[in-house]
Amino acid sequence: MSDETDSQRPKRRPRALGRRSVLRGAALGAATGLVSSTTTTAKAAVHSAPSAGSASFRWLGTSGWRIDVNGRTVLFDPYITRFKTGLFCGEFRPGTELTSDPALIDEHIGRPEIVLVSHSHWDHISDVPHIAKTTGARIVGTETTFHLLVALGVDREQISVVKGGEILDFAGITVEVVSSRHSRNKNYSYFAPGTLHAPPAAPPTTIADLPEGDTLAFQVTAGTDGPSAFLMGASDFSERALDGLRPDLAMIAVPATAATFRYAPRLLKALGEPGVVVPVHWDNFERPLSEPPQHDPTMDLDGFVAQIHQASPTSRVVVPDYRTTYGADMRRAAPTGS
């Protein structure tokens, strides 16, 4: 499933860290809208894009991504097991036991060396203990994420605690940590809030044992020439924390409510109207990745894509699917089964 709209992009001001100020040019054709007629409102034209061979992206559903750069793999919020909690049928069970399917996880993750965790709810963190223990990957997350993972058997020396504002150099892959905010419900409140400043009294066994623990976003840049991808795990943000990021690609979470004031226009302006915008966290994450994505019924994906076009008409919108590998410009590379 993909909606792509190409437009002429203005030149960008220079970025920090020596990254390129103008995306490399690539003449591209008209868009094909596959979400609804509201997603094809921006005019198709020539669009500048990163080199398609410099990185690849696979959506793991929810807010999760696998990013491959020259044989190296970075994961963001890898939630693959996708067990039933009743959330999508109106019978939510906070006492649902945490479950992981090792064989299924291994099928999708490759050999990651970095795992970025936005926050500690089950649909972002519950598969991370298996990944950490079987691959030795460096885990980057909040203090709450640290305490929960250690309680679940992950080596504490393997986890890097961050707060937002850090710029980490992983020998050619740069990770900028961004203080962020969790989505808000119709009552303007957070879902399952709470932070840990010490180990939990007992290892977590249910989804109710996993508080949010504050929320982070990340910007991952491949080498000095990009692409740079901004990754969100929830649908709210701090405008001041985004100042100067200007990513090439922005994977932004779709909100379930209108509680956050002018969410899409403010977010896209703060990010400098990215060349490519990819809506995420709009799917029913209790259905397996082997099936086509199914919309969360509380999410107006078509309406959100229309808001993106209105707020940032020069951005190309790509609505991803699970079984596609995308190039650095978020155009289809080749189908993959892993």
Side-chain angles (χ1 to χ4, degrees):
M1 184 190 313
S2 174
D3 168 74
E4 300 188 359
T5 302
D6 307 320
S7 298
Q8 178 68 45
R9 288 193 51 74
K11 290 188 176 182
R12 299 177 168 202
R13 64 177 179 268
R15 291 200 193 94
L17 301 177
R19 294 198 296 270
R20 61 197 184 288
S21 60
V22 182
L23 301 180
R24 288 189 291 270
L28 303 172
T32 301
L34 297 180
V35 180
S36 77
S37 58
T38 64
T39 68
T40 60
T41 55
K43 294 180 181 179
V46 177
H47 178 78
S48 295
S51 169
S54 54
S56 68
F57 295 82
R58 305 185 203 186
W59 186 40
L60 300 177
T62 323
S63 61
W65 288 92
R66 171 177 167 176
I67 306 172
D68 290 284
V69 181
N70 298 324
R72 304 171 65 191
T73 299
V74 179
L75 299 179
F76 173 69
D77 282 2
Y79 178 56
I80 295 164
T81 301
R82 299 165 73 93
F83 51 82
K84 301 286 187 181
T85 69
L87 179 65
F88 293 91
C89 64
E91 299 177 358
F92 180 57
R93 300 181 299 277
T96 301
E97 291 189 4
L98 296 172
T99 302
S100 247
D101 184 335
L104 183 62
I105 297 168
D106 294 346
E107 177 186 341
H108 289 273
I109 63 170
R111 295 293 298 178
E113 64 177 84
I114 307 164
V115 179
L116 309 174
V117 181
S118 68
H119 63 284
S120 298
H121 288 154
W122 81 95
D123 54 320
H124 301 260
I125 199 177
S126 63
D127 284 337
V128 173
H130 169 77
I131 295 169
K133 288 184 276 189
T134 58
T135 69
R138 168 66 47 188
I139 313 300
V140 182
T142 65
E143 182 182 3
T144 296
T145 292
F146 170 83
H147 289 305
L148 291 171
L149 292 180
V150 170
L152 289 165
V154 177
D155 182 352
R156 65 177 56 240
E157 298 300 323
Q158 199 176 337
I159 309 167
S160 299
V161 175
V162 292
K163 298 184 177 185
E166 298 89 348
I167 302 177
L168 308 177
D169 184 356
F170 290 98
I173 297 174
T174 304
V175 174
E176 300 181 58
V177 187
V178 183
S179 174
S180 194
R181 304 292 183 270
H182 195 272
S183 317
R184 293 182 178 273
N185 60 29
K186 63 182 179 181
N187 296 321
Y188 301 88
S189 299
Y190 293 134
F191 172 80
T195 58
L196 296 178
H197 300 292
T205 59
T206 72
I207 61 175
D209 296 330
L210 300 176
E212 174 210 334
D214 296 325
T215 294
L216 301 169
F218 295 89
Q219 182 156 297
V220 177
T221 303
T224 59
D225 205 25
S228 56
F230 177 72
L231 307 166
M232 293 182 77
S235 59
D236 206 348
F237 63 98
S238 165
E239 278 171 294
R240 292 166 183 82
L242 302 185
D243 185 44
L245 288 181
R246 299 183 63 81
D248 302 321
L249 317 174
M251 285 62 168
I252 64 176
V254 178
T257 72
T260 298
F261 175 72
R262 290 178 54 80
Y263 171 70
R266 290 172 48 241
L267 174 58
L268 294 169
K269 180 179 179 181
L271 291 174
E273 299 188 12
V276 181
V277 177
V278 184
V280 297
H281 217 329
W282 51 264
D283 57 324
N284 179 335
F285 52 79
E286 298 190 354
R287 293 170 59 88
L289 291 173
S290 57
E291 299 179 4
Q294 183 182 81
H295 293 185
D296 177 340
T298 67
M299 303 287 188
D300 180 8
L301 178 59
D302 290 352
F304 186 67
V305 171
Q307 289 180 44
I308 296 170
H309 283 314
Q310 182 175 15
S312 184
T314 60
S315 298
R316 177 164 54 89
V317 178
V318 179
V319 176
D321 62 35
Y322 302 147
R323 308 296 287 184
T324 299
T325 299
Y326 298 91
D329 53 0
M330 280 304 294
R331 294 186 180 279
R332 292 174 185 267
T336 181
S338 62

